[in-house]
Amino acid sequence: MADWFALERDIRAMLKQPEWDDGSIGPVLVRLAWHSSGTYSKKDGTGGSDGATMRHAPESTDGANAGLEKARAMLEPLKKKYPAVSRGDLWTLAGVVAVEAMGGPRSPWYPGRTDKEKPKAAEVPPNGRLPDASQGAPHIRDVFYRMGFNDRDIVALSGAHSLGRCHTDRSGYSGPWTNTPTRFSNQYFKLLIKEKWTKKKWDGPEQYEDPSGELMMLPSDLALIWDPKFKVVVEEYAEDKDTFFKDFSSAFGKLLELGVRRSSAKL
Amino acid sequence: MADWFALERDIKAMLKQPEWDDGSIGPVLVRLAWHASGTYSKKDNTGGSDGATMRHAPESTDGANAGLEKARAMLEPLKKKYPAVSRADLWTLAGVISIEAMGGPRTPWYPGRTDKEKPKAAEVPPNGRLPDASQGAPHIRDVFYRMGFNDRDIVALSGAHTLGRCHPDRSGFSGPWTNTPTRFSNQYFKLLVNEKWTKKKWDGPEQYEDPSGELMMLPTDMALMWDPKFKAVVEEYAEDKETFFKDFSAAFGKLLELGVKRSASKL
C-alpha cells in the first residue's frame, strides 16, 4: 500500500514545467495513460494498462508512442519515491490527476496493476492497436469497439483533444486543437461544430486548420462530424459540458481499467 | 485486491430503496462514512475511518450514531460478496459513490483501511467526538479544528446537508434541509441565504423552519450564517456551485482519509 494522497500531491506538483509545451506536462501524461491502456483487445484479453508493457519492445518502439518515453522518464522519480506503486498504477493515476488538475472531472481509478518485468512476447501488445489519425470513422470504430467501447464513448474520449498539441517530430502532425491546450473543457466540440476547417497547405500529412491557422484537427477528429452518428454526440457535448464531463470520466475510467487483473490472493 | 469497479456498480445498484426515506439510502450511507471518519483527533491520532470501529462499544452506542446500525447492515451483503474489502473501505467508498450517484462530484478515495476485529479500549474512539447539532460556532470549530480542518472546509462539508433528513427517533430533530434530499447540489447554501428561518414551535429540540414549514435547519446550520466568517463562505457557495463541488470533494476526501494507516509492508 502507499500514501496515495501524497503521491497525488507529488504528481500535481510536477505538472507545471516551463520548458515543456504550453508550460505543462499534463497533456502528455494523459496521452501516456491512454496509450498504455488503448492496446486492449476484448477478443483475447491482451493489452491494456496492467503490466506497464510500454517499456518493452515492440510496444516501446511503436510509432504511435513516439515521445512517450519522455513522459515515462518524467514519472520515474515518483516510482523511486513510492516503490510499492507499480508503474502501471503510476502512469494511469498520473493521467487521472492531470485531467482533474487541468479543470476536468475526476475519473474512477483504483490501484492494483502489477508490472511485468520480463514479459513473454505474447504479453506485450503488437504495434498497430492504437488509432491511426489519418483514418476515418470505420477505422475508429474498429479500434474502439475492439476495446469494448460504443459510439458515445468514442466521442467522449475524443474530447481529451481539448488538451495538448501534435508535434512534427512525434506524430508528424502539428499544432494544438484548441486555444487552451492545458485546460480540460468541451472546447474541442465547440470548435468542431463552429469553425470552418480547411485542408492545411504544407508538406506534412493531411490535417485541417481553422481560419486563423493556429488550431488544427486531424482527419480522425473531422470524422466525428462527417459521420452522422458521431456528429449528434459532438453537438450534444458542445452544448452540454456537464454531460461531457460525466461521460468522459466514466469512459476514461473504463479505458484505464481495461484488462486489469487484480490478484485475489493479495489482501 | 478486489474488483473495485464491480463493487462500485453493486453499491450504485443498491441505492434506490423504495421503503427508505425519500426512496434512497444514499444520504444515510454518506452519514455512515462521515461518522466513521469524524471521530479523528489530530492531537493523538486516534479515531477516523480506519478500523471500522463503529461496530464496537462505546462507538456503536454513541447517541450520535443512532440509526447507523441500519446503514452498516445494508452494506453487509457486499462485505460477504467482496471478502477481501475491509468494512472501513466499504463504508467510506459507499459514501463516495453515493455522493456521485446523487449528482455530486467524485471524491478522491483509495483503499487500504484494515478492520479491527478485537480492538483494545483505546482503539475505539469515545463518545462525544462528533458535532452536537444544538451548539454554535465555537463548538463547531472545536470539533472540526480537532480533525485538522479550517473554516472553509467546515462550510464545504456542511453542504452535505443538501442531502437527507433528520428523524425524531434518531437525532431527535425532524425533517429535510432541502426539497431535494436525494440530489447533491448547493441548494443548502441557497436556502440558508435566501429563506427566512424561524424557530419551530414544537415539543422537540430547538430547530428552525422555512415559511412553508417543510424544510428545517439545525442550530449548527444557522451558526454558519450567524458567524460572519462562515457566512462569507456560505454566500460564495450559494453563488458558485462549481467551487463548492471542488472544495467539497477535496474536504470529504480528506475527511475519509483522516488517520488511515496503510501498512508499508503490503504490496
Side-chain angles (χ1 to χ4, degrees):
Chain A
M1 300 293 171
D3 187 344
W4 298 105
F5 276 72
L7 173 53
E8 267 200 38
R9 279 194 296 273
D10 284 351
I11 292 169
R12 273 195 291 268
M14 75 164 30
L15 292 179
K16 270 196 172 61
Q17 300 214 12
E19 318 83 44
W20 196 259
D21 299 322
D22 311 299
S24 170
I25 61 167
V28 75
L29 292 181
V30 174
R31 181 172 171 84
L32 174 62
W34 145 226
H35 274 207
S36 307
S37 308
T39 53
Y40 181 73
S41 172
K42 67 182 185 187
K43 295 173 200 170
D44 59 6
T46 59
S49 63
D50 206 350
T53 53
M54 205 192 286
R55 294 168 296 156
H56 308 289
E59 200 181 342
S60 51
T61 51
D62 188 345
N65 290 331
L68 290 177
E69 63 283 357
K70 295 180 198 177
R72 299 195 296 278
M74 288 190 276
L75 291 176
E76 268 307 291
L78 292 182
K79 172 61 185 164
K80 294 202 168 23
K81 185 173 178 183
Y82 298 90
V85 177
S86 67
R87 285 180 183 84
D89 279 349
L90 177 59
W91 297 349
T92 48
L93 179 60
V96 168
V97 173
V99 169
E100 192 189 34
M102 290 186 285
R106 171 172 281 259
S107 300
W109 182 89
Y110 299 93
R113 296 161 188 74
T114 310
D115 291 344
K116 291 188 169 83
E117 297 307 327
K118 291 187 192 325
K120 302 188 195 68
E123 293 178 310
V124 182
N127 290 359
R129 289 225 179 150
L130 295 161
D132 176 346
S134 67
Q135 302 268 353
H139 168 75
I140 295 171
R141 285 190 168 99
D142 280 347
V143 170
F144 283 92
Y145 287 7
R146 184 206 74 225
M147 289 180 228
F149 289 115
N150 60 33
D151 283 3
R152 203 174 165 81
D153 298 324
I154 290 170
V155 179
L157 289 170
S158 299
H161 280 171
S162 72
L163 301 170
R165 59 172 60 236
C166 291
H167 309 74
T168 48
D169 63 341
R170 292 183 218 170
S171 63
Y173 298 94
S174 177
W177 290 265
T178 71
N179 278 317
T180 48
T182 60
R183 198 80 204 133
F184 192 94
S185 72
N186 62 342
Q187 188 63 5
Y188 168 82
F189 301 110
K190 290 181 188 289
L191 289 164
L192 266 175
I193 298 292
K194 298 193 167 112
E195 291 295 342
K196 187 168 146 65
W197 298 96
T198 55
K199 257 192 225 186
K200 182 181 171 81
K201 290 182 173 57
W202 73 321
D203 296 337
E206 174 183 322
Q207 69 178 58
Y208 294 75
E209 58 183 16
D210 75 319
S212 76
E214 285 177 7
L215 306 181
M216 67 104 207
M217 287 290 168
L218 302 164
S220 50
D221 296 309
L222 289 177
L224 302 183
I225 52 171
W226 292 336
D227 177 280
K229 289 189 185 139
F230 284 146
K231 185 180 184 191
V232 170
V233 188
V234 171
E235 289 170 334
E236 181 185 347
Y237 291 152
E239 291 301 309
D240 186 349
K241 177 182 151 182
D242 281 358
T243 298
F244 163 53
F245 273 32
K246 183 163 167 291
D247 289 357
F248 178 85
S249 75
S250 167
F252 193 55
K254 179 176 166 177
L255 171 68
L256 271 40
E257 182 71 9
L258 291 173
V260 175
R261 293 172 195 78
R262 291 182 179 77
S263 164
S264 55
K266 287 191 195 186
L267 213 219
Chain B
M1 300 293 173
D3 187 344
W4 298 105
F5 275 73
L7 173 53
E8 268 203 31
R9 278 195 298 272
D10 284 351
I11 292 170
K12 276 194 281 260
M14 74 164 30
L15 293 179
K16 271 194 171 62
Q17 301 214 11
E19 317 84 44
W20 196 259
D21 299 322
D22 310 300
S24 170
I25 63 167
V28 75
L29 293 181
V30 174
R31 181 173 172 85
L32 174 63
W34 145 227
H35 275 207
S37 308
T39 53
Y40 181 73
S41 172
K42 68 182 184 186
K43 295 173 200 168
D44 59 6
N45 206 24
T46 58
S49 62
D50 208 349
T53 52
M54 204 192 286
R55 294 171 295 157
H56 308 290
E59 200 181 343
S60 52
T61 51
D62 189 345
N65 290 332
L68 291 178
E69 65 282 358
K70 294 180 198 176
R72 297 196 297 277
M74 287 190 274
L75 292 175
E76 268 307 291
L78 291 182
K79 173 60 186 164
K80 294 202 168 21
K81 185 172 178 183
Y82 298 89
V85 177
S86 66
R87 282 181 184 83
D89 277 349
L90 177 58
W91 297 350
T92 48
L93 179 60
V96 167
I97 298 302
S98 298
I99 297 276
E100 193 189 33
M102 291 186 283
R106 172 168 281 258
T107 296
W109 181 91
Y110 298 94
R113 296 162 187 72
T114 310
D115 292 343
K116 291 190 169 82
E117 297 308 327
K118 292 187 192 320
K120 302 188 195 67
E123 291 178 313
V124 182
N127 290 0
R129 290 224 178 151
L130 295 161
D132 176 346
S134 67
Q135 302 267 354
H139 168 75
I140 295 170
R141 285 191 168 98
D142 281 347
V143 169
F144 283 93
Y145 287 6
R146 184 206 75 223
M147 290 181 228
F149 289 115
N150 60 31
D151 284 2
R152 201 173 166 84
D153 297 325
I154 291 170
V155 180
L157 289 170
S158 300
H161 279 171
T162 201
L163 301 170
R165 57 173 62 235
C166 291
H167 309 75
D169 63 339
R170 293 184 218 169
S171 63
F173 300 93
S174 178
W177 291 264
T178 71
N179 279 317
T180 49
T182 59
R183 197 80 203 130
F184 192 92
S185 70
N186 63 341
Q187 189 62 6
Y188 167 83
F189 300 110
K190 289 182 188 290
L191 289 164
L192 268 174
V193 174
N194 295 331
E195 290 294 341
K196 186 166 147 66
W197 298 95
T198 56
K199 259 194 223 184
K200 182 182 172 80
K201 292 182 172 55
W202 73 320
D203 296 336
E206 174 184 323
Q207 67 179 60
Y208 293 76
E209 58 182 14
D210 74 319
S212 76
E214 285 175 8
L215 307 181
M216 68 103 208
M217 288 290 168
L218 303 164
T220 41
D221 297 309
M222 297 307 299
L224 301 184
M225 290 293 287
W226 295 334
D227 176 281
K229 290 189 186 138
F230 286 146
K231 184 182 184 194
V233 187
V234 171
E235 288 168 337
E236 181 186 345
Y237 290 153
E239 291 300 310
D240 186 349
K241 176 182 152 183
E242 281 194 17
T243 298
F244 164 54
F245 272 32
K246 184 163 167 290
D247 289 355
F248 179 85
S249 73
F252 193 56
K254 178 176 166 177
L255 170 69
L256 270 40
E257 184 69 10
L258 291 173
V260 176
K261 301 170 186 66
R262 290 182 181 78
S263 163
S265 60
K266 284 192 198 183
L267 214 219

PDB file of all heavy atoms in Angstrom, chain A residues 15-38:
ATOM      1  N   LEU A  15       3.345  19.020 -12.460  1.00  0.00           N
ATOM      2  CA  LEU A  15       2.695  19.282 -13.740  1.00  0.00           C
ATOM      3  C   LEU A  15       3.227  20.530 -14.450  1.00  0.00           C
ATOM      4  O   LEU A  15       3.431  20.519 -15.658  1.00  0.00           O
ATOM      5  CB  LEU A  15       1.179  19.390 -13.551  1.00  0.00           C
ATOM      6  CG  LEU A  15       0.463  18.085 -13.150  1.00  0.00           C
ATOM      7  CD1 LEU A  15      -1.030  18.340 -12.963  1.00  0.00           C
ATOM      8  CD2 LEU A  15       0.670  16.994 -14.183  1.00  0.00           C
ATOM      9  N   LYS A  16       3.437  21.584 -13.670  1.00  0.00           N
ATOM     10  CA  LYS A  16       3.902  22.828 -14.298  1.00  0.00           C
ATOM     11  C   LYS A  16       5.378  22.693 -14.641  1.00  0.00           C
ATOM     12  O   LYS A  16       6.208  22.554 -13.748  1.00  0.00           O
ATOM     13  CB  LYS A  16       3.726  24.003 -13.330  1.00  0.00           C
ATOM     14  CG  LYS A  16       2.395  24.713 -13.432  1.00  0.00           C
ATOM     15  CD  LYS A  16       2.441  26.083 -12.729  1.00  0.00           C
ATOM     16  CE  LYS A  16       1.216  26.930 -12.953  1.00  0.00           C
ATOM     17  NZ  LYS A  16      -0.029  26.303 -12.443  1.00  0.00           N
ATOM     18  N   GLN A  17       5.715  22.733 -15.914  1.00  0.00           N
ATOM     19  CA  GLN A  17       7.113  22.664 -16.329  1.00  0.00           C
ATOM     20  C   GLN A  17       7.322  23.667 -17.453  1.00  0.00           C
ATOM     21  O   GLN A  17       6.931  23.435 -18.604  1.00  0.00           O
ATOM     22  CB  GLN A  17       7.453  21.242 -16.798  1.00  0.00           C
ATOM     23  CG  GLN A  17       7.230  20.228 -15.675  1.00  0.00           C
ATOM     24  CD  GLN A  17       8.197  19.082 -15.696  1.00  0.00           C
ATOM     25  OE1 GLN A  17       9.203  19.104 -16.398  1.00  0.00           O
ATOM     26  NE2 GLN A  17       7.912  18.055 -14.895  1.00  0.00           N
ATOM     27  N   PRO A  18       7.933  24.808 -17.125  1.00  0.00           N
ATOM     28  CA  PRO A  18       8.036  25.906 -18.085  1.00  0.00           C
ATOM     29  C   PRO A  18       8.698  25.539 -19.406  1.00  0.00           C
ATOM     30  O   PRO A  18       8.360  26.138 -20.429  1.00  0.00           O
ATOM     31  CB  PRO A  18       8.873  26.950 -17.337  1.00  0.00           C
ATOM     32  CG  PRO A  18       8.693  26.626 -15.898  1.00  0.00           C
ATOM     33  CD  PRO A  18       8.519  25.134 -15.822  1.00  0.00           C
ATOM     34  N   GLU A  19       9.622  24.544 -19.410  1.00  0.00           N
ATOM     35  CA  GLU A  19      10.283  24.230 -20.686  1.00  0.00           C
ATOM     36  C   GLU A  19       9.479  23.277 -21.548  1.00  0.00           C
ATOM     37  O   GLU A  19       9.874  22.973 -22.671  1.00  0.00           O
ATOM     38  CB  GLU A  19      11.668  23.602 -20.475  1.00  0.00           C
ATOM     39  CG  GLU A  19      12.524  24.228 -19.402  1.00  0.00           C
ATOM     40  CD  GLU A  19      12.167  23.690 -18.020  1.00  0.00           C
ATOM     41  OE1 GLU A  19      11.997  22.456 -17.896  1.00  0.00           O
ATOM     42  OE2 GLU A  19      12.051  24.500 -17.081  1.00  0.00           O
ATOM     43  N   TRP A  20       8.382  22.779 -21.015  1.00  0.00           N
ATOM     44  CA  TRP A  20       7.565  21.827 -21.799  1.00  0.00           C
ATOM     45  C   TRP A  20       6.502  22.598 -22.560  1.00  0.00           C
ATOM     46  O   TRP A  20       6.245  23.763 -22.315  1.00  0.00           O
ATOM     47  CB  TRP A  20       6.947  20.780 -20.857  1.00  0.00           C
ATOM     48  CG  TRP A  20       6.428  19.571 -21.583  1.00  0.00           C
ATOM     49  CD1 TRP A  20       5.136  19.288 -21.899  1.00  0.00           C
ATOM     50  CD2 TRP A  20       7.221  18.501 -22.117  1.00  0.00           C
ATOM     51  NE1 TRP A  20       5.059  18.103 -22.589  1.00  0.00           N
ATOM     52  CE2 TRP A  20       6.327  17.591 -22.749  1.00  0.00           C
ATOM     53  CE3 TRP A  20       8.584  18.202 -22.135  1.00  0.00           C
ATOM     54  CZ2 TRP A  20       6.750  16.416 -23.384  1.00  0.00           C
ATOM     55  CZ3 TRP A  20       9.009  17.041 -22.748  1.00  0.00           C
ATOM     56  CH2 TRP A  20       8.102  16.155 -23.372  1.00  0.00           C
ATOM     57  N   ASP A  21       5.851  21.918 -23.511  1.00  0.00           N
ATOM     58  CA  ASP A  21       4.783  22.531 -24.308  1.00  0.00           C
ATOM     59  C   ASP A  21       3.802  23.268 -23.430  1.00  0.00           C
ATOM     60  O   ASP A  21       3.220  22.676 -22.530  1.00  0.00           O
ATOM     61  CB  ASP A  21       3.922  21.451 -24.992  1.00  0.00           C
ATOM     62  CG  ASP A  21       4.723  20.593 -25.927  1.00  0.00           C
ATOM     63  OD1 ASP A  21       5.602  21.121 -26.609  1.00  0.00           O
ATOM     64  OD2 ASP A  21       4.432  19.388 -25.958  1.00  0.00           O
ATOM     65  N   ASP A  22       3.537  24.503 -23.754  1.00  0.00           N
ATOM     66  CA  ASP A  22       2.497  25.264 -23.077  1.00  0.00           C
ATOM     67  C   ASP A  22       2.682  25.252 -21.550  1.00  0.00           C
ATOM     68  O   ASP A  22       1.738  25.477 -20.800  1.00  0.00           O
ATOM     69  CB  ASP A  22       1.094  24.732 -23.444  1.00  0.00           C
ATOM     70  CG  ASP A  22       0.931  24.587 -24.959  1.00  0.00           C
ATOM     71  OD1 ASP A  22       1.040  25.627 -25.643  1.00  0.00           O
ATOM     72  OD2 ASP A  22       0.743  23.465 -25.449  1.00  0.00           O
ATOM     73  N   GLY A  23       3.908  24.929 -21.103  1.00  0.00           N
ATOM     74  CA  GLY A  23       4.254  25.012 -19.685  1.00  0.00           C
ATOM     75  C   GLY A  23       3.694  23.911 -18.801  1.00  0.00           C
ATOM     76  O   GLY A  23       3.772  24.010 -17.577  1.00  0.00           O
ATOM     77  N   SER A  24       3.153  22.832 -19.399  1.00  0.00           N
ATOM     78  CA  SER A  24       2.562  21.785 -18.558  1.00  0.00           C
ATOM     79  C   SER A  24       2.763  20.402 -19.173  1.00  0.00           C
ATOM     80  O   SER A  24       2.619  20.221 -20.379  1.00  0.00           O
ATOM     81  CB  SER A  24       1.055  22.011 -18.400  1.00  0.00           C
ATOM     82  OG  SER A  24       0.432  20.884 -17.790  1.00  0.00           O
ATOM     83  N   ILE A  25       3.123  19.439 -18.305  1.00  0.00           N
ATOM     84  CA  ILE A  25       3.235  18.070 -18.808  1.00  0.00           C
ATOM     85  C   ILE A  25       1.913  17.309 -18.654  1.00  0.00           C
ATOM     86  O   ILE A  25       1.827  16.119 -18.950  1.00  0.00           O
ATOM     87  CB  ILE A  25       4.371  17.277 -18.120  1.00  0.00           C
ATOM     88  CG1 ILE A  25       4.129  17.149 -16.615  1.00  0.00           C
ATOM     89  CG2 ILE A  25       5.720  17.915 -18.419  1.00  0.00           C
ATOM     90  CD1 ILE A  25       5.051  16.116 -15.952  1.00  0.00           C
ATOM     91  N   GLY A  26       0.877  18.027 -18.201  1.00  0.00           N
ATOM     92  CA  GLY A  26      -0.425  17.389 -18.016  1.00  0.00           C
ATOM     93  C   GLY A  26      -0.906  16.651 -19.256  1.00  0.00           C
ATOM     94  O   GLY A  26      -1.231  15.462 -19.192  1.00  0.00           O
ATOM     95  N   PRO A  27      -0.947  17.335 -20.413  1.00  0.00           N
ATOM     96  CA  PRO A  27      -1.447  16.653 -21.611  1.00  0.00           C
ATOM     97  C   PRO A  27      -0.650  15.404 -21.996  1.00  0.00           C
ATOM     98  O   PRO A  27      -1.252  14.375 -22.332  1.00  0.00           O
ATOM     99  CB  PRO A  27      -1.342  17.742 -22.691  1.00  0.00           C
ATOM    100  CG  PRO A  27      -1.510  19.021 -21.940  1.00  0.00           C
ATOM    101  CD  PRO A  27      -0.779  18.790 -20.641  1.00  0.00           C
ATOM    102  N   VAL A  28       0.667  15.442 -21.914  1.00  0.00           N
ATOM    103  CA  VAL A  28       1.422  14.251 -22.329  1.00  0.00           C
ATOM    104  C   VAL A  28       1.244  13.109 -21.313  1.00  0.00           C
ATOM    105  O   VAL A  28       1.321  11.931 -21.679  1.00  0.00           O
ATOM    106  CB  VAL A  28       2.912  14.578 -22.600  1.00  0.00           C
ATOM    107  CG1 VAL A  28       3.706  14.785 -21.317  1.00  0.00           C
ATOM    108  CG2 VAL A  28       3.548  13.496 -23.467  1.00  0.00           C
ATOM    109  N   LEU A  29       0.972  13.444 -20.060  1.00  0.00           N
ATOM    110  CA  LEU A  29       0.694  12.379 -19.082  1.00  0.00           C
ATOM    111  C   LEU A  29      -0.650  11.713 -19.390  1.00  0.00           C
ATOM    112  O   LEU A  29      -0.812  10.506 -19.190  1.00  0.00           O
ATOM    113  CB  LEU A  29       0.711  12.925 -17.657  1.00  0.00           C
ATOM    114  CG  LEU A  29       2.083  13.387 -17.135  1.00  0.00           C
ATOM    115  CD1 LEU A  29       1.965  13.879 -15.694  1.00  0.00           C
ATOM    116  CD2 LEU A  29       3.130  12.285 -17.246  1.00  0.00           C
ATOM    117  N   VAL A  30      -1.604  12.494 -19.873  1.00  0.00           N
ATOM    118  CA  VAL A  30      -2.887  11.916 -20.267  1.00  0.00           C
ATOM    119  C   VAL A  30      -2.669  10.973 -21.453  1.00  0.00           C
ATOM    120  O   VAL A  30      -3.208   9.865 -21.502  1.00  0.00           O
ATOM    121  CB  VAL A  30      -3.910  13.018 -20.621  1.00  0.00           C
ATOM    122  CG1 VAL A  30      -5.200  12.415 -21.165  1.00  0.00           C
ATOM    123  CG2 VAL A  30      -4.208  13.880 -19.395  1.00  0.00           C
ATOM    124  N   ARG A  31      -1.846  11.404 -22.396  1.00  0.00           N
ATOM    125  CA  ARG A  31      -1.549  10.572 -23.567  1.00  0.00           C
ATOM    126  C   ARG A  31      -0.877   9.263 -23.147  1.00  0.00           C
ATOM    127  O   ARG A  31      -1.184   8.194 -23.684  1.00  0.00           O
ATOM    128  CB  ARG A  31      -0.654  11.341 -24.530  1.00  0.00           C
ATOM    129  CG  ARG A  31      -0.287  10.575 -25.814  1.00  0.00           C
ATOM    130  CD  ARG A  31       0.450  11.493 -26.791  1.00  0.00           C
ATOM    131  NE  ARG A  31       1.011  10.805 -27.944  1.00  0.00           N
ATOM    132  CZ  ARG A  31       0.348  10.508 -29.060  1.00  0.00           C
ATOM    133  NH1 ARG A  31      -0.923  10.814 -29.160  1.00  0.00           N
ATOM    134  NH2 ARG A  31       0.949   9.889 -30.066  1.00  0.00           N
ATOM    135  N   LEU A  32       0.036   9.340 -22.163  1.00  0.00           N
ATOM    136  CA  LEU A  32       0.723   8.126 -21.695  1.00  0.00           C
ATOM    137  C   LEU A  32      -0.294   7.147 -21.100  1.00  0.00           C
ATOM    138  O   LEU A  32      -0.260   5.944 -21.384  1.00  0.00           O
ATOM    139  CB  LEU A  32       1.771   8.485 -20.635  1.00  0.00           C
ATOM    140  CG  LEU A  32       2.471   7.304 -19.958  1.00  0.00           C
ATOM    141  CD1 LEU A  32       3.269   6.461 -20.958  1.00  0.00           C
ATOM    142  CD2 LEU A  32       3.391   7.780 -18.828  1.00  0.00           C
ATOM    143  N   ALA A  33      -1.209   7.653 -20.267  1.00  0.00           N
ATOM    144  CA  ALA A  33      -2.216   6.783 -19.657  1.00  0.00           C
ATOM    145  C   ALA A  33      -3.093   6.153 -20.739  1.00  0.00           C
ATOM    146  O   ALA A  33      -3.406   4.962 -20.693  1.00  0.00           O
ATOM    147  CB  ALA A  33      -3.074   7.586 -18.677  1.00  0.00           C
ATOM    148  N   TRP A  34      -3.469   6.930 -21.711  1.00  0.00           N
ATOM    149  CA  TRP A  34      -4.342   6.472 -22.804  1.00  0.00           C
ATOM    150  C   TRP A  34      -3.639   5.453 -23.687  1.00  0.00           C
ATOM    151  O   TRP A  34      -4.177   4.364 -23.934  1.00  0.00           O
ATOM    152  CB  TRP A  34      -4.835   7.700 -23.557  1.00  0.00           C
ATOM    153  CG  TRP A  34      -5.061   7.691 -25.031  1.00  0.00           C
ATOM    154  CD1 TRP A  34      -4.645   8.656 -25.913  1.00  0.00           C
ATOM    155  CD2 TRP A  34      -5.798   6.761 -25.840  1.00  0.00           C
ATOM    156  NE1 TRP A  34      -5.060   8.382 -27.194  1.00  0.00           N
ATOM    157  CE2 TRP A  34      -5.770   7.202 -27.176  1.00  0.00           C
ATOM    158  CE3 TRP A  34      -6.481   5.577 -25.566  1.00  0.00           C
ATOM    159  CZ2 TRP A  34      -6.381   6.531 -28.236  1.00  0.00           C
ATOM    160  CZ3 TRP A  34      -7.096   4.897 -26.611  1.00  0.00           C
ATOM    161  CH2 TRP A  34      -7.034   5.378 -27.943  1.00  0.00           C
ATOM    162  N   HIS A  35      -2.405   5.730 -24.088  1.00  0.00           N
ATOM    163  CA  HIS A  35      -1.716   4.797 -24.978  1.00  0.00           C
ATOM    164  C   HIS A  35      -1.324   3.496 -24.278  1.00  0.00           C
ATOM    165  O   HIS A  35      -1.200   2.460 -24.915  1.00  0.00           O
ATOM    166  CB  HIS A  35      -0.510   5.472 -25.630  1.00  0.00           C
ATOM    167  CG  HIS A  35      -0.882   6.212 -26.870  1.00  0.00           C
ATOM    168  ND1 HIS A  35      -0.014   6.441 -27.926  1.00  0.00           N
ATOM    169  CD2 HIS A  35      -2.062   6.774 -27.248  1.00  0.00           C
ATOM    170  CE1 HIS A  35      -0.643   7.114 -28.882  1.00  0.00           C
ATOM    171  NE2 HIS A  35      -1.881   7.330 -28.498  1.00  0.00           N
ATOM    172  N   SER A  36      -1.114   3.573 -22.949  1.00  0.00           N
ATOM    173  CA  SER A  36      -0.854   2.333 -22.195  1.00  0.00           C
ATOM    174  C   SER A  36      -2.085   1.449 -22.211  1.00  0.00           C
ATOM    175  O   SER A  36      -1.985   0.224 -22.205  1.00  0.00           O
ATOM    176  CB  SER A  36      -0.595   2.619 -20.712  1.00  0.00           C
ATOM    177  OG  SER A  36       0.385   3.553 -20.527  1.00  0.00           O
ATOM    178  N   SER A  37      -3.228   2.088 -22.179  1.00  0.00           N
ATOM    179  CA  SER A  37      -4.489   1.376 -21.989  1.00  0.00           C
ATOM    180  C   SER A  37      -5.157   0.966 -23.293  1.00  0.00           C
ATOM    181  O   SER A  37      -5.854  -0.064 -23.342  1.00  0.00           O
ATOM    182  CB  SER A  37      -5.461   2.270 -21.203  1.00  0.00           C
ATOM    183  OG  SER A  37      -4.857   2.754 -20.019  1.00  0.00           O
ATOM    184  N   GLY A  38      -4.962   1.772 -24.330  1.00  0.00           N
ATOM    185  CA  GLY A  38      -5.707   1.601 -25.576  1.00  0.00           C
ATOM    186  C   GLY A  38      -5.250   0.441 -26.441  1.00  0.00           C
ATOM    187  O   GLY A  38      -5.779   0.243 -27.532  1.00  0.00           O
TER     188      GLY A  38
END
